[in-house]
Amino acid sequence: MTIKEKVLIVGAGSIGRRHAKIFSKHLKIDIADISYSRIKLSNKLFKVNDSYFDYKKAIVENNYKFIAICTPPHLHLEIAKLSVKHNNNLFIEKPLGINCKGWKKIAIECKKKKLINYVAYCHRHISYFYRAKKMIDANKIGKILHANMRWGSYLPDWHPWEKYYNFYMAKKEQGGGALLDESHGIDLIRYLIGEIIEVSAFVGKISDLKITSDDIAILNLKTNKNSYIQINFDLLARFPRNNLEIVGTKGTIIIDRVDHYLKIFSVKNKSWKKFKYKKDDFLKMYKQQAFYFMDCINKRKRTIIDINDALKTQSIIDSAFLSSKIKRNVKIK
Ligand SMILES: NC(=O)c1ccc[n+]([C@@H]2O[C@H](COP(=O)([O-])OP(=O)(O)OC[C@H]3O[C@@H](n4cnc5c(N)ncnc54)[C@H](O)[C@@H]3O)[C@@H](O)[C@H]2O)c1
């Protein structure tokens, strides 16, 4: 990819700026954001080619190598529609959207127009999850019987520069909430363990946070390989937790994304082996993801997490909301 090629980043908030910092070292970047202060900050932090308040104007007036959609989730679909109409490859922040509606059509359009598309479930690019995947695929822990995922932190601690109740995460209609946001965890279960075929969930608000979105999501999942998974996501834990325990017939893997380690217990050796990582190994995922995506574009290669793949995660999210509402198990179609 030459430096002359230009990309558009829609949404210059916290993740948009993180991507802009990486992409601006390799490509010309345009920024679109409705907020003057966000545009001003981006221009201060990186070399920005052009800035727009209206992403539609940017898309209509330019040819982009790709468009990175980094707005709150309720806008992902309409931005993707216009981007595809104007033949742009897509880098879409997770979650895909607020639900599955409309995305199949976008995936079909992308296929027809041969547009590369990627949904940024970036945890797959963390080296310790990658190592876990290799261990599981090499049958190091045998058949996976069950897994537990705990993923939580206190929403008011996330963005110290703004009131948490003004942040989109506090607003259900904008796609905030524990389930949609922490759906990284669902993507990881699919990546490491298998496809989900059944969901039973409680999704709700149990704290006194001033939010309309959910602050807790407790999911029971069954996979196509008969593994049982429990997930507990929240936005209210006063100390961050991010831990996954996978129990197999030949061993156990525990991954901790707060203390950055992976350990594996072997039934045969009756001992643990621990691999320690640094916070930097975790943060590198953004750079690794960006390079992976640029490589897919250069080689015209389908990405590992395209819209069709992300739709599988999104349908588990939709089914969890439904299960909580109807208080019954939901089978994934
Ligand atoms: N993959 C990750 O690790 C990761 C981390 C954080 C956020 N995210 C995802 O990124 C997305 C954004 O999250 P965030 O934390 O950066 O939120 P944010 O609130 O910090 O940023 C969103 C930005 O979008 C802008 N925006 C709103 N409406 C717009 C419009 N119509 N046109 C252009 N810009 C508009 C806002 O002004 C804001 O600057 C969400 O989907 C979130 O889930 C992913």
Side-chain angles (χ1 to χ4, degrees):
M1 205 169 271
T2 67
I3 196 82
K4 298 235 159 27
E5 287 169 316
K6 197 166 64 161
V7 305
L8 173 68
I9 295 180
V10 187
S14 73
I15 199 72
R17 292 197 301 276
R18 201 181 269 284
H19 294 318
K21 186 175 173 193
I22 300 169
F23 287 130
S24 64
K25 292 187 180 138
H26 308 274
L27 299 154
K28 266 189 186 176
I29 57 163
D30 284 1
I31 297 273
D33 200 297
I34 48 169
S35 152
Y36 174 71
S37 63
R38 297 275 161 106
I39 286 189
K40 198 170 151 200
L41 181 60
S42 293
N43 276 274
K44 195 173 144 199
L45 295 173
F46 335 100
K47 194 167 169 3
V48 175
N49 178 64
D50 235 327
S51 308
Y52 295 84
F53 287 118
D54 181 2
Y55 73 84
K56 295 181 186 132
K57 185 170 155 62
I59 295 175
V60 169
E61 289 180 359
N62 294 278
N63 282 320
Y64 291 112
K65 189 75 185 168
F66 65 85
I67 293 178
I69 303 176
C70 304
T71 60
H74 69 304
L75 298 170
H76 291 184
L77 182 66
E78 66 175 55
I79 301 168
K81 266 187 198 162
L82 190 69
S83 304
V84 170
K85 187 176 171 203
H86 289 268
N87 305 313
N88 294 286
N89 298 306
L90 287 176
F91 176 102
I92 308 165
E93 254 312 332
K94 48 55 62 174
L96 188 56
I98 49 169
N99 54 43
C100 290
K101 266 185 224 145
W103 285 102
K104 193 76 217 167
K105 212 169 153 190
I106 303 272
I108 292 168
E109 274 300 289
C110 284
K111 192 170 177 205
K112 232 195 276 171
K113 295 187 167 194
K114 296 191 171 49
L115 298 174
I116 305 297
N117 55 96
Y118 174 77
V119 182
Y121 278 114
C122 49
H123 281 62
R124 289 200 205 184
H125 297 274
I126 301 176
S127 46
Y128 37 93
F129 282 110
Y130 183 65
R131 177 171 243 153
K133 169 81 174 154
K134 278 195 7 197
M135 287 171 164
I136 290 166
D137 289 353
N139 204 30
K140 297 275 188 227
I141 59 165
K143 175 186 158 31
I144 295 172
L145 301 171
H146 75 89
N148 275 289
M149 175 176 275
R150 175 73 188 94
W151 190 306
S153 58
Y154 191 51
L155 181 63
D157 292 341
W158 287 27
H159 284 185
W161 57 89
E162 63 186 342
K163 300 268 189 239
Y164 76 90
Y165 43 80
N166 293 331
F167 180 25
Y168 89 83
M169 273 294 294
K171 298 167 189 170
K172 184 172 176 56
E173 71 283 4
Q174 294 193 15
L179 178 56
L180 278 160
D181 191 74
E182 290 162 4
S183 57
H184 277 297
I186 299 172
D187 176 70
L188 282 175
I189 295 294
R190 290 187 44 240
Y191 172 61
L192 295 172
I193 303 179
E195 292 301 343
I196 312 297
I197 57 167
E198 207 172 316
V199 179
S200 141
F202 168 75
V203 188
K205 179 180 175 289
I206 58 170
S207 74
D208 55 7
L209 288 171
K210 290 185 234 159
I211 64 177
T212 56
S213 54
D214 51 284
D215 56 17
I216 190 151
I218 298 174
L219 278 59
N220 283 312
L221 311 171
K222 185 181 171 187
T223 73
N224 56 354
K225 295 174 191 159
N226 269 334
S227 311
Y228 290 83
I229 320 292
Q230 289 187 308
I231 297 183
N232 181 334
F233 294 140
D234 78 51
L235 300 180
L236 47 85
R238 299 309 297 260
F239 189 82
R241 293 275 288 121
N242 197 313
N243 188 284
L244 172 64
E245 177 184 7
I246 307 171
V247 178
T249 50
K250 290 174 25 179
T252 292
I253 290 175
I254 296 179
I255 306 159
D256 195 294
R257 213 224 61 195
V258 174
D259 290 331
H260 307 291
Y261 68 79
L262 177 159
K263 60 181 189 176
I264 178 164
F265 179 77
S266 154
V267 170
K268 195 170 152 205
N269 303 334
K270 295 199 170 19
S271 62
W272 286 96
K273 192 170 177 190
K274 189 167 181 176
F275 301 89
K276 289 186 188 163
Y277 292 85
K278 298 196 177 79
K279 191 177 176 190
D280 261 6
D281 294 312
F282 157 62
L283 291 173
K284 263 190 223 152
M285 68 179 169
Y286 294 111
K287 205 168 162 187
Q288 266 157 228
Q289 172 177 258
F291 278 70
Y292 168 76
F293 176 67
M294 289 192 282
D295 188 55
C296 288
I297 293 210
N298 280 342
K299 296 184 177 146
R300 310 302 306 156
K301 213 169 61 180
R302 190 182 158 187
T303 66
I304 35 165
I305 319 167
D306 61 7
I307 293 172
N308 279 322
D309 187 81
L311 262 169
K312 292 182 186 163
T313 297
Q314 192 75 45
S315 83
I316 297 155
I317 299 170
D318 291 7
S319 301
F321 278 122
L322 176 66
S323 164
S324 183
K325 191 172 160 196
I326 63 174
K327 297 188 170 53
R328 280 213 313 269
N329 278 13
V330 174
K331 291 204 190 312
I332 307 290
K333 283 178 224 129

